[in-house]
Structure formats: C-alpha cells, structure tokens
Amino acid sequence: MPEGKIVKALSGFYYVISNGELTQCRGRGIFRKNKITPLVGDEVVFQAENEREGYILEVKDRKNELVRPPIANVDQAILVFSAVEPDFSTTLLDRFLVLVEFNRISPLICITKIDLTDEKQMKAVVEYADQYKEIGYDVLLTSSETETGIEALSPHIENKISVFAGQSGVGKSSLLNVLRPDLDIKTDHISSHLGRGKHTTRHVELITVGNGLIADTPGFSSLEFTDIEAEDLPFCFPEIAKEGENCKFRACLHISEPKCAVKAAVESKVIPDYRYKHYVDFLQEIKERKPRY
C-alpha cells in the first residue's frame, strides 16, 4: 500500500502527497469508531481507488500534535507577532511559547511590521527581542513590506515542517506571500474598531517553500492550557526550569515555597518581571481549571 503525508484537510477530504502526486482521500469509518481524526502533517497509509481518489487506511504514530491549529508532526513553530497594529503582546507570545514548549516543538519568534514602528516603539521591540534571545529563543525582526529579515528567515524553514501561528492580523499571510509570491494569499487590513485582522485563512494547509513545508493556519487570539498540569508549567519556561534546579524543594512551584531560587532570580532581574508574572498567572489559571470527566 502507498504511504504519504496529509498536506491539506478540507470538508471531510484529506489531500495526501506521495511521490509528488496528490490524492484526494476520505477516512475509513474505523477512524470515527476509534476516535482518530487524521490531521495535516500525518504520515498515512492509503489505498488509491483510481489516480485521484482513495481512502486513508492507517495513521502512523505522531511525534506531536496541536489542537488549535489542528496539525501533527511539527518540527518548528514560527510565532508571528507584530511590533504594532496590533501592538506586540508578551502575554500572548508567552501563552504560545508555553504550548509550543509543552509539545516539544522548537519555537522561532518572528516580530513583523517593524517598518511601521517609530523610534520609541522600535527601541521597546528590540529590548524585548534581546530578552527573549537571552532566554535562548531565536528571534527575527521582519517586514513583509520592505522584506527586511526575510533572508534570515529562509534558512530556518529548510527541510522542516513549520507552523505559522499568531494573533489574527499580524501578517502571517503577508510573510508567506513574500516567501512564495506565486501564492497570492488573501490578506485583510486591521479593523480599526476591533484592533485585529479578519480571519482570512480558513483551513490548515502545508505549503512548499524551498525545501520545507509551512502550515498557514487560522489566526486566533487566545489559548487554553487544556492538557498542561501545574507541575508541567515550570518546564515550559526555560529560564524558570534552569533556575529551579537550585530550589531547596524539588517540587517547588516557585510561588510561596522557602529558599526558592526562581523568586531570587526575579528579584535580581535575572528573570524578567513580566515573564514571572505570566508564569504566576498561567499557574493560577491551570489550578482553577474545571476538571474534565
């Protein structure tokens, strides 16, 4: 039986690429029975009824999967955040980073629209970029309009499955249009009333860029930590995980425990205040989460 990769899912059909050929497939009824939903990025075994249509028979084991956006086997998450319009949000970025770290996906922070910043805004963005670099993250400053930073972005995409994720209206589709001008993906301006862009991307699809694949995904503005437990959260903040090794108690959650190395690192400015605040807020959110049955 042929094997391939799902590169698009739309209206109950899965589009599988194998040896350069695209086959439109449906999932077997057994998937519904076993509560398996094939995802874009899945490696699958399929049966071709003819040259263009077939059925997915088996979904191979995944190395990871995301729920929003629904995609599997991701190597890298390119977290696209605008410097302005909408304004850069460390809170939202940290939510994305926690989800990505929890799923063991390598993040790349891409701050767009730097051409729209004034001197003060640019200074603030550079300071944030430096702080995230200090933590160990790769950060790129880009502009789709002037194509600043695009050359630096391209090598990160080679031979990887990357997911573009971020708030609506930050310029994900515009970046993809620069990387592959022939795509001509529809983009909308920011709504001045809502301060966010319209949802111009309707489905998840893997797009070939150079020797890599990029998923353009629907934008969204909030994330829930559905599967993350309180004891997992410290390890989703690399700098907190690192400093936490020096805490007196092994299971320290870095809130009210004595001799906490993380709180000491916050006081001495080794860990930025806003990162610790987000950690505390997220921890509270996880603790207050309603149990699932």
Side-chain angles (χ1 to χ4, degrees):
M1 291 292 176
E3 297 185 7
K5 184 193 299 289
I6 298 176
V7 293
K8 185 165 92 169
L10 190 62
S11 304
F13 288 101
Y14 303 98
Y15 297 82
V16 178
I17 194 160
S18 177
N19 298 321
E21 297 292 321
L22 200 63
T23 305
Q24 177 181 285
C25 295
R26 284 195 178 277
R28 285 291 192 197
I30 194 167
F31 290 138
R32 280 194 298 277
K33 185 180 175 184
N34 295 335
K35 295 184 177 176
I36 296 170
T37 302
L39 295 175
V40 169
D42 271 334
E43 299 287 344
V44 298
V45 178
F46 68 102
Q47 180 177 17
E49 299 286 299
N50 52 54
E51 285 185 7
R52 293 193 175 181
E53 296 178 334
Y55 285 91
I56 292 174
L57 304 178
E58 179 191 345
V59 175
K60 302 267 189 172
D61 288 343
R62 297 165 179 157
K63 70 176 181 181
N64 56 47
E65 65 181 272
L66 296 174
V67 178
R68 293 177 60 192
I71 188 169
N73 300 317
V74 176
D75 298 309
Q76 169 180 258
I78 301 174
L79 305 180
V80 186
F81 280 74
S82 55
V84 291
E85 297 183 19
D87 290 340
F88 182 67
S89 167
T90 57
T91 308
L92 194 55
L93 173 56
D94 286 348
R95 293 185 80 90
F96 273 89
L97 285 169
V98 165
L99 185 73
V100 166
E101 292 280 2
F102 181 71
N103 284 282
R104 294 182 172 85
I105 298 170
S106 297
L108 170 66
I109 300 169
C110 183
I111 303 175
T112 62
K113 301 187 183 180
I114 60 169
D115 57 300
L116 301 180
T117 59
D118 59 29
E119 192 176 335
K120 183 180 176 183
Q121 290 166 330
M122 189 63 192
K123 185 184 176 190
V125 165
V126 168
E127 283 178 4
Y128 279 128
D130 288 343
Q131 288 166 355
Y132 280 99
K133 285 177 186 174
E134 189 70 27
I135 292 166
Y137 292 117
D138 286 326
V139 185
L140 298 177
L141 304 181
T142 67
S143 164
S144 300
E145 201 64 36
T146 63
E147 299 195 10
T148 303
I150 301 301
E151 273 191 28
L153 175 59
S154 295
H156 288 277
I157 295 165
E158 290 294 292
N159 303 312
K160 292 176 183 171
I161 293 182
S162 303
V163 55
F164 267 29
Q167 193 176 7
S168 296
V170 296
K172 298 187 297 294
S173 295
S174 297
L175 267 181
L176 274 172
N177 282 338
V178 174
L179 288 164
R180 262 199 58 185
D182 60 300
L183 291 172
D184 195 23
I185 298 169
K186 185 174 178 284
T187 60
D188 273 340
H189 292 295
I190 293 290
S191 160
S192 57
H193 176 63
L194 296 173
R196 62 182 187 224
K198 295 178 184 176
H199 293 254
T200 53
T201 312
R202 303 296 176 188
H203 61 274
V204 180
E205 179 175 356
L206 287 175
I207 297 164
T208 303
V209 176
N211 292 318
L213 291 167
I214 292 181
D216 187 22
T217 66
F220 47 95
S221 56
S222 66
L223 289 162
E224 295 178 6
F225 304 128
T226 311
D227 299 315
I228 302 176
E229 302 300 335
E231 58 269 24
D232 299 323
L233 190 63
F235 300 99
C236 298
F237 285 76
E239 72 277 39
I240 288 177
K242 180 183 174 186
E243 296 296 332
E245 292 175 4
N246 300 317
C247 289
K248 181 179 179 182
F249 298 104
R250 194 169 184 179
C252 186
L253 285 178
H254 321 303
I255 300 297
S256 55
E257 299 88 342
K259 296 188 178 177
C260 172
V262 168
K263 286 191 289 182
V266 176
E267 287 172 18
S268 62
K269 305 297 182 186
V270 172
I271 294 176
D273 287 340
Y274 64 89
R275 284 279 289 176
Y276 180 68
K277 180 185 183 300
H278 296 159
Y279 168 78
V280 172
D281 290 346
F282 298 166
L283 188 65
Q284 189 66 27
E285 184 180 323
I286 289 168
K287 286 180 174 180
E288 291 175 356
R289 184 177 62 205
K290 291 179 182 176
R292 290 179 298 158
Y293 299 102

